């Protein structure tokens, strides 16, 4: 059974930092594409950042470029999202997801989400 477990969310003041973790288990993710998405209250789920497990490519949403950074620990099967210079508009539930390159995110694996709240 594939599991993605996020952690690291919380309450932080504007300008602060948080690091989210996504621990993956249940299979080998070496060929998978890993992504972070977020959903604010009353809004649709939006793309935040994505990279191939091999690390050959990384993409960020324009709204987080220069502030958020993806990294991974292959030995721990864990992906991290370092979030700096946080803004109130970053407040959302953050989800980790993984998919095979031949499928869509809708057919991939998703974590339960972790809440990030940025106060002004």
């Amino acid at each position: 059974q594939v599991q993605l477990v996020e952690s690291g969310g919380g309450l932080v003041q504007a300008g602060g930092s948080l690091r989210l973790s996504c621990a993956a288990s249940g299979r080998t993710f070496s060929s998978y594409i890993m992504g972070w998405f977020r959903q604010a209250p009353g809004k649709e789920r939006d793309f935040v950042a994505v990279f191939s497990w091999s690390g050959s490519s990384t993409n960020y949403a324009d709204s987080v470029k220069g502030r958020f950074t993806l990294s991974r620990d292959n030995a721990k099967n864990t992906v991290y999202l370092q979030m700096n210079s946080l803004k109130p508009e970053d407040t959302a539930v953050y989800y980790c997801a993984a998919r095979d390159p031949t499928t869509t995110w809708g057919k991939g694996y998703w974590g339960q989400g972790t809440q990030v709240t940025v106060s002004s």
Side-chain angles (χ1 to χ4, degrees):
Q1 181 180 1
V2 174
Q3 275 195 316
L4 299 176
V5 180
E6 303 100 332
S7 61
L11 174 64
V12 64
Q13 288 188 332
S17 298
L18 284 174
R19 188 178 79 157
L20 305 183
S21 300
C22 173
S25 63
R27 63 154 296 133
T28 300
F29 289 87
S30 59
S31 63
Y32 269 48
I33 298 173
M34 307 294 295
W36 285 95
F37 294 76
R38 66 186 181 186
Q39 188 167 18
K43 295 187 176 181
E44 295 185 350
R45 190 171 298 186
D46 288 333
F47 159 76
V48 175
V50 65
F51 77 122
S52 59
W53 192 264
S54 65
S56 61
S57 64
T58 305
N59 288 300
Y60 298 92
D62 288 343
S63 58
V64 307
K65 279 181 181 177
R67 300 188 299 122
F68 290 11
T69 304
L70 282 167
S71 64
R72 72 195 185 279
D73 184 331
N74 290 346
K76 295 182 178 180
N77 244 14
T78 299
V79 172
Y80 304 98
L81 183 67
Q82 178 67 42
M83 306 186 296
N84 298 328
S85 303
L86 283 162
K87 305 175 181 180
E89 51 264 43
D90 294 318
T91 295
V93 177
Y94 284 70
Y95 297 90
C96 174
R99 68 173 175 88
D100 184 278
T102 62
T103 66
T104 63
W105 289 112
K107 295 183 178 180
Y109 303 101
W110 291 81
Q112 82 288 350
T114 185
Q115 176 71 47
V116 171
T117 303
V118 184
S119 62
S120 57

